[in-house]
Amino acid sequence: MVIDCKAISQAKRDAIKRKAAELDITPTLAVILAVDDPASRVYVRNKRRACEEVGFGFEMYSDINAVGELVTQQDVHGVLVQLPLPSDIDTNKVIAQIPPEKDVDALTATNLGRLVLGAYDFAPCTPSGIMTILDNVCGSVSGANCVVIGRSNIVGKPMSIMLTQKNATVTLCHSHTEDLAGITSRADILISAVGKAGFVTANMVKQDTIVIDVGINRNREGKLVGDVCFDDVVRKADAITPVPGGVGIMTVTSLLENTLKAAELAVGKR
Ligand code: NDP
């Protein structure tokens, strides 16, 4: 089964739109796009369109110094710095300026700490979107053997924490992992966030696994593909997310959810 992430996302967005319409304020997201990179421009455009779809306000800035002012503006509920930043800018320092209640990407030390403690309003958008997919596909992950490839702060690490909190048994793999195929081929749920086209081949996947492909890559023909050799793995997997039209959509939908929560927090509705 190819997982219909568009349908899962649409149901969520419809609910977000209804809840936003019940507020006396317009939930508003500000995005700082400080690097002129084609991929980042596309991601920001998708965020703008999604905000428009659910009736949110959207503001865009190109100056990284805007962060300091945006965090004080009452009519801006969520502040997101589009990553990666240019190498001469200290990403951690910039993120640290965002107060936790406006940190809709959930990347501040406070929000990541709260995530580890299990008491949080905001979770990072990609793992959050993946949890929604898994909720829809398998209901519970309790007791499942989950393997995550990639240990970035935005995907792999928080993903492993969120799965653990839902009682999955998690193995977090990275470039130093030995016998990767041996580990992945025991996974009930395999999540790949590596960033290499064709990285997960059919021999790395056991029969009837759920495969979540986070990767966004261009193949030699310039086509957008994930990390997984989709045409081979789809025959073996019980369920698999497509690229495009998979985790990426859910990531943006989670961002909308977090922005709605930020607006609700601002008016004391949470
Ligand atoms: P990073 O690029 O920061 O890190 C990649 C990870 O893959 C690292 O942990 C690295 O290990 C690991 N890795 C690299 N090579 C191997 C290998 N041979 N074996 C095992 N592990 C390996 O990851 P991101 O999470 O930022 O991005 C990953 C991919 O997901 C990218 O394609 C990105 O575009 C995409 N992405 C998609 C999103 C979406 O919404 N769909 C959102 C965010 C990202 P090590 O730590 O040891 O270097």
Side-chain angles (χ1 to χ4, degrees):
M1 176 183 78
V2 180
I3 302 169
D4 190 350
C5 294
K6 287 185 183 163
I8 298 171
S9 164
Q10 197 57 56
K12 283 261 168 196
R13 290 189 187 189
D14 290 346
I16 292 167
K17 192 174 182 177
R18 279 196 302 276
K19 283 190 190 158
E22 286 164 12
L23 291 175
D24 299 328
I25 54 166
T26 304
T28 297
L29 173 69
V31 173
I32 296 98
L33 175 59
V35 64
D36 193 23
D37 154 64
S40 295
R41 275 204 304 273
V42 171
Y43 297 143
V44 172
R45 188 191 64 200
N46 292 343
K47 286 165 188 167
R48 174 197 292 276
R49 286 183 179 164
C51 281
E52 287 165 1
E53 183 188 332
V54 298
F56 287 7
F58 181 92
E59 297 176 8
M60 200 181 92
Y61 299 83
S62 55
D63 182 0
I64 199 70
N65 296 316
V67 178
E69 191 174 321
L70 282 169
V71 298
T72 64
Q73 281 182 20
Q74 284 195 355
D75 55 352
V76 170
H77 308 102
V79 175
L80 180 152
V81 177
Q82 185 66 39
L83 301 179
L85 289 175
S87 53
D88 57 327
I89 298 179
D90 183 337
T91 302
N92 288 337
K93 262 193 184 165
V94 172
I95 301 284
Q97 291 179 60
I98 305 172
E101 65 277 10
K102 291 193 179 191
D103 171 28
V104 286
D105 232 359
L107 292 181
T108 56
T110 302
N111 280 334
L112 284 174
R114 287 177 182 163
L115 182 76
V116 173
L117 296 174
Y120 55 91
D121 283 308
F122 305 114
C125 299
T126 302
S128 207
I130 293 170
M131 292 309 290
T132 303
I133 294 172
L134 293 175
D135 264 359
N136 275 266
V137 174
C138 52
S140 166
V141 296
S142 181
N145 187 10
C146 297
V147 175
V148 181
I149 321 175
R151 57 175 166 178
S152 69
N153 290 340
I154 59 168
V155 185
K157 280 185 205 158
M159 186 78 255
S160 66
I161 293 165
M162 293 173 83
L163 288 165
T164 304
Q165 277 161 356
K166 294 286 180 188
N167 300 322
T169 304
V170 184
T171 308
L172 184 56
C173 303
H174 45 76
S175 65
H176 299 263
T177 298
E178 290 188 10
D179 188 23
L180 182 66
I183 295 169
T184 59
S185 55
R186 289 193 294 275
D188 302 315
I189 297 171
L190 176 62
I191 299 169
S192 180
V194 174
K196 291 183 181 167
F199 186 80
V200 176
T201 50
N203 68 312
M204 295 169 72
V205 177
K206 82 170 167 150
Q207 201 72 40
D208 296 335
T209 299
I210 294 170
V211 180
I212 307 290
D213 192 352
V214 184
I216 300 177
N217 314 292
R218 296 261 170 208
N219 69 6
R220 283 195 196 124
E221 294 82 46
K223 198 178 149 208
L224 212 57
V225 295
D227 289 347
V228 179
C229 294
F230 184 87
D231 292 343
D232 299 332
V233 174
V234 72
R235 295 200 201 101
K236 231 175 159 184
D238 187 37
I240 182 169
T241 57
V243 178
V247 173
I249 296 181
M250 293 305 302
T251 297
V252 177
T253 299
S254 298
L255 174 65
L256 296 176
E257 275 185 313
N258 282 350
T259 305
L260 176 67
K261 280 184 197 169
E264 288 172 342
L265 279 171
V267 292
K269 281 214 166 180
R270 292 185 78 87

CSV table of all heavy atoms in Angstrom, one decimal, residues 164-205:
chain,number,residue,atom,x,y,z
A,164,THR,N,9.9,6.2,21.2
A,164,THR,CA,10.1,5.6,22.5
A,164,THR,C,9.0,5.9,23.5
A,164,THR,O,8.5,5.1,24.3
A,164,THR,CB,11.5,6.1,23.1
A,164,THR,OG1,12.5,5.8,22.2
A,164,THR,CG2,11.8,5.4,24.4
A,165,GLN,N,8.5,7.2,23.5
A,165,GLN,CA,7.4,7.6,24.4
A,165,GLN,C,6.1,6.8,24.1
A,165,GLN,O,5.3,6.7,24.9
A,165,GLN,CB,7.2,9.1,24.3
A,165,GLN,CG,8.2,9.9,25.1
A,165,GLN,CD,8.3,11.3,24.8
A,165,GLN,OE1,7.7,11.8,23.8
A,165,GLN,NE2,9.1,12.1,25.5
A,166,LYS,N,6.0,6.3,22.8
A,166,LYS,CA,4.8,5.5,22.5
A,166,LYS,C,5.1,4.0,22.6
A,166,LYS,O,4.4,3.2,22.0
A,166,LYS,CB,4.4,5.9,21.0
A,166,LYS,CG,3.9,7.3,20.9
A,166,LYS,CD,2.5,7.5,21.5
A,166,LYS,CE,2.0,8.9,21.3
A,166,LYS,NZ,0.8,9.1,22.0
A,167,ASN,N,6.2,3.7,23.3
A,167,ASN,CA,6.5,2.3,23.7
A,167,ASN,C,7.0,1.4,22.6
A,167,ASN,O,6.9,0.2,22.6
A,167,ASN,CB,5.3,1.6,24.4
A,167,ASN,CG,4.8,2.3,25.6
A,167,ASN,OD1,5.7,2.8,26.4
A,167,ASN,ND2,3.6,2.5,25.8
A,168,ALA,N,7.5,2.1,21.5
A,168,ALA,CA,8.2,1.3,20.5
A,168,ALA,C,9.6,1.0,21.0
A,168,ALA,O,10.1,1.7,21.9
A,168,ALA,CB,8.3,2.1,19.2
A,169,THR,N,10.3,0.0,20.4
A,169,THR,CA,11.7,-0.3,20.7
A,169,THR,C,12.5,0.3,19.5
A,169,THR,O,12.2,-0.1,18.4
A,169,THR,CB,11.9,-1.8,20.8
A,169,THR,OG1,11.0,-2.3,21.8
A,169,THR,CG2,13.3,-2.1,21.2
A,170,VAL,N,13.3,1.2,19.8
A,170,VAL,CA,13.9,2.0,18.8
A,170,VAL,C,15.4,1.8,18.6
A,170,VAL,O,16.2,1.8,19.6
A,170,VAL,CB,13.7,3.6,19.0
A,170,VAL,CG1,14.2,4.4,17.8
A,170,VAL,CG2,12.2,3.8,19.2
A,171,THR,N,15.9,1.6,17.4
A,171,THR,CA,17.3,1.6,17.1
A,171,THR,C,17.6,2.8,16.2
A,171,THR,O,16.9,3.0,15.2
A,171,THR,CB,17.7,0.3,16.3
A,171,THR,OG1,17.3,-0.8,17.1
A,171,THR,CG2,19.2,0.3,16.2
A,172,LEU,N,18.5,3.7,16.6
A,172,LEU,CA,18.8,4.9,15.9
A,172,LEU,C,20.2,4.7,15.2
A,172,LEU,O,21.2,4.5,15.8
A,172,LEU,CB,18.9,6.1,16.9
A,172,LEU,CG,19.2,7.5,16.3
A,172,LEU,CD1,18.1,7.8,15.2
A,172,LEU,CD2,19.1,8.5,17.4
A,173,CYS,N,20.2,4.7,13.9
A,173,CYS,CA,21.4,4.4,13.1
A,173,CYS,C,22.0,5.6,12.5
A,173,CYS,O,21.3,6.6,12.2
A,173,CYS,CB,21.0,3.4,12.0
A,173,CYS,SG,20.3,1.9,12.6
A,174,HIS,N,23.2,5.6,12.1
A,174,HIS,CA,24.0,6.7,11.5
A,174,HIS,C,25.1,6.2,10.7
A,174,HIS,O,25.2,5.0,10.5
A,174,HIS,CB,24.4,7.7,12.6
A,174,HIS,CG,25.0,7.0,13.8
A,174,HIS,ND1,26.2,6.5,13.8
A,174,HIS,CD2,24.4,6.7,15.0
A,174,HIS,CE1,26.5,5.9,14.9
A,174,HIS,NE2,25.4,6.0,15.7
A,175,SER,N,26.0,7.1,10.3
A,175,SER,CA,27.1,6.7,9.4
A,175,SER,C,28.1,5.8,10.0
A,175,SER,O,28.9,5.2,9.3
A,175,SER,CB,27.7,7.9,8.8
A,175,SER,OG,28.4,8.6,9.8
A,176,HIS,N,28.1,5.6,11.3
A,176,HIS,CA,29.1,4.7,12.0
A,176,HIS,C,28.4,3.4,12.4
A,176,HIS,O,29.1,2.6,13.0
A,176,HIS,CB,29.7,5.4,13.2
A,176,HIS,CG,30.4,6.7,12.9
A,176,HIS,ND1,31.8,6.7,12.8
A,176,HIS,CD2,30.0,7.9,12.7
A,176,HIS,CE1,32.2,7.9,12.5
A,176,HIS,NE2,31.1,8.7,12.5
A,177,THR,N,27.2,3.2,12.0
A,177,THR,CA,26.5,2.0,12.4
A,177,THR,C,27.0,0.8,11.6
A,177,THR,O,27.2,0.9,10.4
A,177,THR,CB,24.9,2.1,12.1
A,177,THR,OG1,24.4,3.2,12.9
A,177,THR,CG2,24.2,0.9,12.4
A,178,GLU,N,27.3,-0.3,12.3
A,178,GLU,CA,27.8,-1.5,11.6
A,178,GLU,C,26.7,-2.4,11.3
A,178,GLU,O,25.7,-2.5,12.1
A,178,GLU,CB,28.8,-2.1,12.5
A,178,GLU,CG,30.1,-1.3,12.6
A,178,GLU,CD,31.2,-2.0,13.3
A,178,GLU,OE1,31.1,-3.2,13.6
A,178,GLU,OE2,32.2,-1.3,13.7
A,179,ASP,N,26.8,-3.1,10.2
A,179,ASP,CA,25.8,-4.0,9.8
A,179,ASP,C,24.4,-3.4,9.7
A,179,ASP,O,23.4,-3.9,10.2
A,179,ASP,CB,25.7,-5.3,10.7
A,179,ASP,CG,24.8,-6.3,10.1
A,179,ASP,OD1,24.6,-6.3,8.9
A,179,ASP,OD2,24.2,-7.2,10.9
A,180,LEU,N,24.3,-2.2,9.0
A,180,LEU,CA,23.1,-1.5,8.9
A,180,LEU,C,22.0,-2.4,8.3
A,180,LEU,O,20.8,-2.4,8.8
A,180,LEU,CB,23.3,-0.2,8.0
A,180,LEU,CG,22.1,0.7,7.8
A,180,LEU,CD1,21.7,1.3,9.1
A,180,LEU,CD2,22.3,1.8,6.8
A,181,ALA,N,22.3,-3.1,7.2
A,181,ALA,CA,21.2,-3.9,6.5
A,181,ALA,C,20.7,-5.0,7.5
A,181,ALA,O,19.5,-5.3,7.5
A,181,ALA,CB,21.8,-4.5,5.3
A,182,GLY,N,21.6,-5.5,8.3
A,182,GLY,CA,21.2,-6.5,9.3
A,182,GLY,C,20.2,-5.9,10.3
A,182,GLY,O,19.2,-6.6,10.7
A,183,ILE,N,20.4,-4.7,10.7
A,183,ILE,CA,19.5,-4.0,11.6
A,183,ILE,C,18.2,-3.6,11.0
A,183,ILE,O,17.1,-3.9,11.5
A,183,ILE,CB,20.2,-2.7,12.2
A,183,ILE,CG1,21.4,-3.2,13.0
A,183,ILE,CG2,19.2,-1.9,13.1
A,183,ILE,CD1,22.3,-2.0,13.4
A,184,THR,N,18.3,-3.0,9.8
A,184,THR,CA,17.1,-2.6,9.1
A,184,THR,C,16.2,-3.7,8.7
A,184,THR,O,15.0,-3.6,8.7
A,184,THR,CB,17.4,-1.7,7.8
A,184,THR,OG1,18.1,-2.5,6.9
A,184,THR,CG2,18.1,-0.4,8.2
A,185,SER,N,16.8,-4.9,8.4
A,185,SER,CA,16.0,-6.0,7.9
A,185,SER,C,15.2,-6.7,9.0
A,185,SER,O,14.5,-7.6,8.8
A,185,SER,CB,16.8,-7.0,7.1
A,185,SER,OG,17.9,-7.4,7.8
A,186,ARG,N,15.4,-6.2,10.3
A,186,ARG,CA,14.6,-6.7,11.4
A,186,ARG,C,13.5,-5.7,11.8
A,186,ARG,O,12.7,-5.9,12.7
A,186,ARG,CB,15.4,-7.0,12.6
A,186,ARG,CG,16.3,-8.2,12.4
A,186,ARG,CD,17.0,-8.7,13.7
A,186,ARG,NE,17.9,-7.7,14.3
A,186,ARG,CZ,19.2,-7.7,13.9
A,186,ARG,NH1,19.7,-8.5,13.0
A,186,ARG,NH2,20.0,-6.8,14.5
A,187,ALA,N,13.4,-4.6,11.1
A,187,ALA,CA,12.5,-3.5,11.5
A,187,ALA,C,11.0,-3.8,11.1
A,187,ALA,O,10.8,-4.2,10.0
A,187,ALA,CB,12.9,-2.2,10.8
A,188,ASP,N,10.1,-3.6,12.0
A,188,ASP,CA,8.7,-3.5,11.7
A,188,ASP,C,8.3,-2.2,11.0
A,188,ASP,O,7.5,-2.1,10.2
A,188,ASP,CB,7.8,-3.7,13.0
A,188,ASP,CG,8.2,-5.0,13.8
A,188,ASP,OD1,8.3,-6.0,13.1
A,188,ASP,OD2,8.3,-4.9,15.0
A,189,ILE,N,9.0,-1.2,11.5
A,189,ILE,CA,8.8,0.2,11.0
A,189,ILE,C,10.2,0.7,10.7
A,189,ILE,O,11.1,0.8,11.6
A,189,ILE,CB,8.1,1.1,12.0
A,189,ILE,CG1,6.7,0.6,12.2
A,189,ILE,CG2,8.0,2.5,11.4
A,189,ILE,CD1,5.9,1.3,13.4
A,190,LEU,N,10.4,1.1,9.4
A,190,LEU,CA,11.8,1.6,9.0
A,190,LEU,C,11.6,3.1,8.6
A,190,LEU,O,10.8,3.4,7.7
A,190,LEU,CB,12.3,0.8,7.9
A,190,LEU,CG,13.7,1.3,7.3
A,190,LEU,CD1,14.8,1.3,8.4
A,190,LEU,CD2,14.1,0.4,6.1
A,191,ILE,N,12.3,4.0,9.2
A,191,ILE,CA,12.3,5.4,8.9
A,191,ILE,C,13.6,5.8,8.4
A,191,ILE,O,14.6,5.7,9.1
A,191,ILE,CB,11.8,6.2,10.1
A,191,ILE,CG1,10.4,5.8,10.6
A,191,ILE,CG2,11.9,7.7,9.8
A,191,ILE,CD1,10.0,6.3,11.9
A,192,SER,N,13.7,6.3,7.1
A,192,SER,CA,15.0,6.7,6.6
A,192,SER,C,15.1,8.2,6.4
A,192,SER,O,14.3,8.8,5.7
A,192,SER,CB,15.2,6.0,5.2
A,192,SER,OG,16.5,6.4,4.7
A,193,ALA,N,16.0,8.8,7.1
A,193,ALA,CA,16.3,10.3,6.9
A,193,ALA,C,17.8,10.5,6.7
A,193,ALA,O,18.5,11.0,7.6
A,193,ALA,CB,15.8,11.0,8.2
A,194,VAL,N,18.3,10.1,5.6
A,194,VAL,CA,19.7,10.1,5.3
A,194,VAL,C,20.0,11.2,4.3
A,194,VAL,O,21.0,12.0,4.4
A,194,VAL,CB,20.1,8.8,4.7
A,194,VAL,CG1,21.6,8.8,4.3
A,194,VAL,CG2,20.0,7.7,5.8
A,195,GLY,N,19.2,11.3,3.2
A,195,GLY,CA,19.5,12.3,2.2
A,195,GLY,C,20.3,11.8,1.1
A,195,GLY,O,21.1,12.5,0.5
A,196,LYS,N,20.1,10.5,0.8
A,196,LYS,CA,20.8,9.9,-0.4
A,196,LYS,C,19.9,9.1,-1.2
A,196,LYS,O,19.3,8.1,-0.7
A,196,LYS,CB,22.0,9.0,0.1
A,196,LYS,CG,23.1,9.7,0.8
A,196,LYS,CD,24.2,8.8,1.3
A,196,LYS,CE,25.3,9.6,2.0
A,196,LYS,NZ,26.3,8.8,2.7
A,197,ALA,N,19.7,9.4,-2.5
A,197,ALA,CA,18.8,8.7,-3.4
A,197,ALA,C,19.2,7.3,-3.5
A,197,ALA,O,20.4,7.0,-3.6
A,197,ALA,CB,18.8,9.4,-4.7
A,198,GLY,N,18.3,6.3,-3.4
A,198,GLY,CA,18.6,4.9,-3.6
A,198,GLY,C,19.3,4.3,-2.4
A,198,GLY,O,19.8,3.2,-2.6
A,199,PHE,N,19.3,4.9,-1.3
A,199,PHE,CA,20.0,4.4,-0.1
A,199,PHE,C,19.4,3.1,0.4
A,199,PHE,O,20.1,2.2,0.8
A,199,PHE,CB,20.1,5.5,1.0
A,199,PHE,CG,21.0,5.1,2.1
A,199,PHE,CD1,22.4,5.2,2.0
A,199,PHE,CD2,20.5,4.6,3.3
A,199,PHE,CE1,23.2,4.8,3.0
A,199,PHE,CE2,21.3,4.2,4.3
A,199,PHE,CZ,22.7,4.3,4.2
A,200,VAL,N,18.1,3.1,0.6
A,200,VAL,CA,17.4,1.9,1.2
A,200,VAL,C,17.0,1.0,0.0
A,200,VAL,O,16.1,1.3,-0.8
A,200,VAL,CB,16.2,2.3,2.0
A,200,VAL,CG1,15.5,1.1,2.6
A,200,VAL,CG2,16.7,3.2,3.2
A,201,THR,N,17.6,-0.2,-0.1
A,201,THR,CA,17.3,-1.1,-1.1
A,201,THR,C,16.4,-2.2,-0.6
A,201,THR,O,16.3,-2.4,0.6
A,201,THR,CB,18.6,-1.7,-1.7
A,201,THR,OG1,19.4,-2.2,-0.6
A,201,THR,CG2,19.4,-0.7,-2.5
A,202,ALA,N,15.8,-3.0,-1.5
A,202,ALA,CA,14.8,-4.0,-1.1
A,202,ALA,C,15.5,-5.0,-0.1
A,202,ALA,O,14.8,-5.5,0.8
A,202,ALA,CB,14.2,-4.7,-2.3
A,203,ASN,N,16.7,-5.3,-0.3
A,203,ASN,CA,17.4,-6.4,0.6
A,203,ASN,C,17.6,-5.9,2.0
A,203,ASN,O,17.9,-6.6,2.9
A,203,ASN,CB,18.7,-6.8,0.0
A,203,ASN,CG,19.7,-5.7,0.1
A,203,ASN,OD1,19.5,-4.6,-0.4
A,203,ASN,ND2,20.9,-6.1,0.6
A,204,MET,N,17.3,-4.6,2.3
A,204,MET,CA,17.5,-4.0,3.6
A,204,MET,C,16.1,-4.0,4.4
A,204,MET,O,16.0,-3.6,5.5
A,204,MET,CB,18.0,-2.6,3.6
A,204,MET,CG,19.4,-2.4,3.0
A,204,MET,SD,19.8,-0.7,2.7
A,204,MET,CE,20.0,-0.1,4.3
A,205,VAL,N,15.1,-4.5,3.7
A,205,VAL,CA,13.7,-4.4,4.2
A,205,VAL,C,13.1,-5.7,4.3
A,205,VAL,O,13.1,-6.5,3.4
A,205,VAL,CB,12.9,-3.5,3.3
A,205,VAL,CG1,11.4,-3.4,3.7
A,205,VAL,CG2,13.5,-2.1,3.1
